[in-house]
Amino acid sequence: MDFDYLIVGGGSAGCVLAARLSEDPALRVGLLEAGPRDDSALVHCPAGIAAMARTGSHNWGFATEPQPGLGGRRGYQPRGKVLGGSSSVNAMIYLRGQPEDYDAWAAAGNPGWSWQEVLPCFLRAEHNTRGADAWHAQGGPLHVTDLQQPNRHAADFVAAAVQAGLPANADFNGATQEGAGFYQVTHRDGERCSAAKAYLGPAARRPNLAVLTGAQALRVVFEGRRAVGVEYRQAGRTALASARREVLLSAGALQSPQLLMLSGIGPGAALQALGLPVIADRPGVGANLHDHLDVVQVVDTPGLRSLFGVSLPGLADVARGAWQWARRREGLLTTNFAEAGAFLRSDPAVPRPDLQLHFVIGKLVDHGRKTVWGHGYSCHVCLLRPHSRGTLGLASPDPLAPPRIDPAFLADPRDLDTLVRGFVAMRRILGQPALARLGGRELSRSAGATDEAAIRAFIRAHADTIYHPVGTCRMGPGAQDVVDAALRVHGVDGLRVVDASVMPSIVSGNTNAPTIMIAEKAAELLRRGA
């Protein structure tokens, strides 16, 4: 169990690192993943996301602290617990965000992270079936494609958004993000193309790469102030894996800071209060937690069939779709559910889109975990650049205990103001003729929210994450930052963090593709010896 590089976490970033670093046969690379291998049909079948949501399969299933901004409710925090991490359980939407997001990272003291400098890393990862151009590439491991068989009513949403005044947009990753259109997805040949399938699968047979599943990291081991390995637990036994060069934490925005603190890197007084030794007093570890807060409007539409709804005709559709997918990897089950969407500005004075919509064919209630009779559609409105900042802390010195997650949703009143405007804009779109002709009826839980006060109350009662936590190991040069621009942890040697936790500020869109880009960038830095 001696490696040159030891990676903790086999999610989106960890799979990229394992594959890229093991391209050098002179290096020995180890990867520890707490979850199982990604050999379930629920992972590979795109529509399996619905079954995984309902069963909690391949998921850490964390909960937040009670959120004052959400009426004291505990939010749900699903994170992938399987090879591929959240890329094996997400909605497979491929988005990069806006160029200004990355230019802001560079302006915050992170040279090398501007849009023009990270674009090559996006391109290196991508194989876009539309072909290569100034914005896209072919030949990368991650397959990006249009949906094979989109639901015909997803086009109704796009038409409704255009009727409401938004431009049509055929490529949210092109010259502009604003407008309405279909999302591209990470699919290959009718299956999910997770980071595990894209990167780790082709690398798995390399003799210099060892992948351990069911192996939960307990702490980083130090000699003085240098990281030299990781203690982990597998099959009820505790073992040690060593790293001659570096330990790379890719456990995600909730568990990388947890592991740092368990290892003695974090707010010194808080660690001492739990009886943990302090190797480096870094108050920023676990700070700066933020996420995309989201609220959903659900419309009951009896004449529309959807996989989320339950009816006898719907069950027959699922059975037929399962047969088609099993035999030919096509049909109804190739959906990612959130097939279409839009980016818009909450106010004409806002210089770029600050709201995102996801349109879902199905009555989505409680993150899809509740079975709903009948059929319909749902629309999410998501706050792209929240002002609220929360914390990630230790609830216990026990490494097997879940972390204390406090996103502080709606702590900054500007977030609720923007989300109210977004809800109004979403309702205006859903009321346009292209969707109104379907004869849908808004569910009573939101239908009564007809004035601003009622909309605010509805948002506080029903909003939650759309699964994009970031920022808890913020990149930057300051005293509150955790890693430098090369992703090295401040105050120690031989340790980097490579995942969404290093984002100084969240990107304007889904976070999976940016996390893969971060890992591509990290692999490049390591190859250069930076």
Side-chain angles (χ1 to χ4, degrees), residues 149-502:
Q149 292 176 262
N151 189 295
R152 61 193 174 94
H153 294 299
D156 294 335
F157 167 80
V158 177
V162 171
Q163 289 170 347
L166 287 180
N169 190 340
D171 185 2
F172 292 131
N173 298 295
T176 183
Q177 189 190 58
E178 190 165 13
F182 285 88
Y183 290 117
Q184 282 204 297
V185 292
T186 49
H187 285 187
R188 184 172 66 196
D189 299 328
E191 295 187 355
R192 174 192 294 274
C193 185
S194 67
K197 181 174 289 185
Y199 284 89
L200 204 57
R205 295 184 181 274
R206 293 174 186 162
N208 63 330
L209 173 62
V211 178
L212 281 72
T213 54
Q216 183 167 351
L218 305 178
R219 67 184 181 98
V220 179
V221 177
F222 286 86
E223 288 183 357
R225 299 177 74 84
R226 181 171 187 82
V228 296
V230 172
E231 189 177 80
Y232 66 96
R233 191 163 183 81
Q234 184 184 44
R237 297 184 177 182
T238 300
L240 176 67
S242 65
R244 287 185 288 269
R245 296 194 181 192
E246 294 192 34
V247 174
L248 309 173
L249 299 188
S250 297
L254 303 183
Q255 287 159 292
S256 282
Q258 179 190 23
L259 193 53
L260 284 177
M261 288 185 277
L262 289 168
S263 307
I265 303 172
L271 300 186
Q272 289 173 335
L274 291 172
L276 293 167
V278 179
I279 293 174
D281 184 358
R282 300 301 305 182
V285 174
N288 194 46
L289 173 61
H290 55 298
D291 196 351
H292 285 146
L293 187 65
D294 167 271
V295 71
V296 186
Q297 181 178 335
V298 182
V299 178
D300 185 72
T301 315
L304 180 153
R305 289 189 187 178
S306 60
L307 289 180
F308 274 127
V310 179
S311 68
L312 292 178
L315 292 174
D317 288 344
V318 172
R320 183 173 64 255
W323 184 86
Q324 291 175 318
W325 188 82
R327 288 184 55 93
R328 297 191 297 271
R329 294 299 192 262
E330 62 183 35
L332 199 65
L333 299 193
T334 59
T335 184
N336 74 322
F337 295 102
E339 297 182 353
F343 290 88
L344 61 153
R345 290 173 286 164
S346 62
D347 185 278
V350 176
R352 56 192 173 108
D354 56 347
L355 295 166
Q356 180 182 3
L357 304 184
H358 294 85
F359 183 76
V360 178
I361 303 297
K363 292 160 66 175
L364 187 63
V365 177
D366 190 24
H367 304 266
R369 294 185 294 175
K370 289 184 178 177
T371 300
V372 181
W373 183 264
H375 297 277
Y377 59 82
S378 308
C379 194
H380 301 242
V381 59
C382 160
L383 183 68
L384 283 178
R385 291 184 295 281
H387 295 280
S388 301
R389 295 293 186 270
T391 57
L392 187 292
L394 295 181
S396 163
D398 179 2
L400 302 181
R404 181 181 54 76
I405 305 165
D406 181 9
F409 286 133
L410 301 181
D412 189 307
R414 291 174 291 181
D415 291 346
L416 183 55
D417 293 342
T418 302
L419 207 46
V420 167
R421 292 193 291 271
F423 185 87
V424 171
M426 175 175 65
R427 181 177 270 166
R428 184 174 65 251
I429 290 170
L430 299 186
Q432 296 300 314
L435 285 172
R437 68 178 181 81
L438 301 177
R441 179 178 56 85
E442 186 176 351
L443 292 194
S444 59
R445 66 177 195 163
S446 63
T450 56
D451 58 32
E452 182 173 330
I455 293 171
R456 287 174 178 270
F458 172 75
I459 290 171
R460 290 192 185 278
H462 294 282
D464 204 350
T465 176
I466 201 167
Y467 324 125
H468 301 154
V470 306
T472 49
C473 297
R474 186 174 64 190
M475 173 172 56
Q480 291 292 321
D481 296 317
V482 179
V483 300
D484 66 13
L487 308 183
R488 297 170 296 211
V489 176
H490 291 300
V492 296
D493 297 318
L495 182 63
R496 301 190 202 218
V497 180
V498 184
D499 56 33
S501 69
V502 305

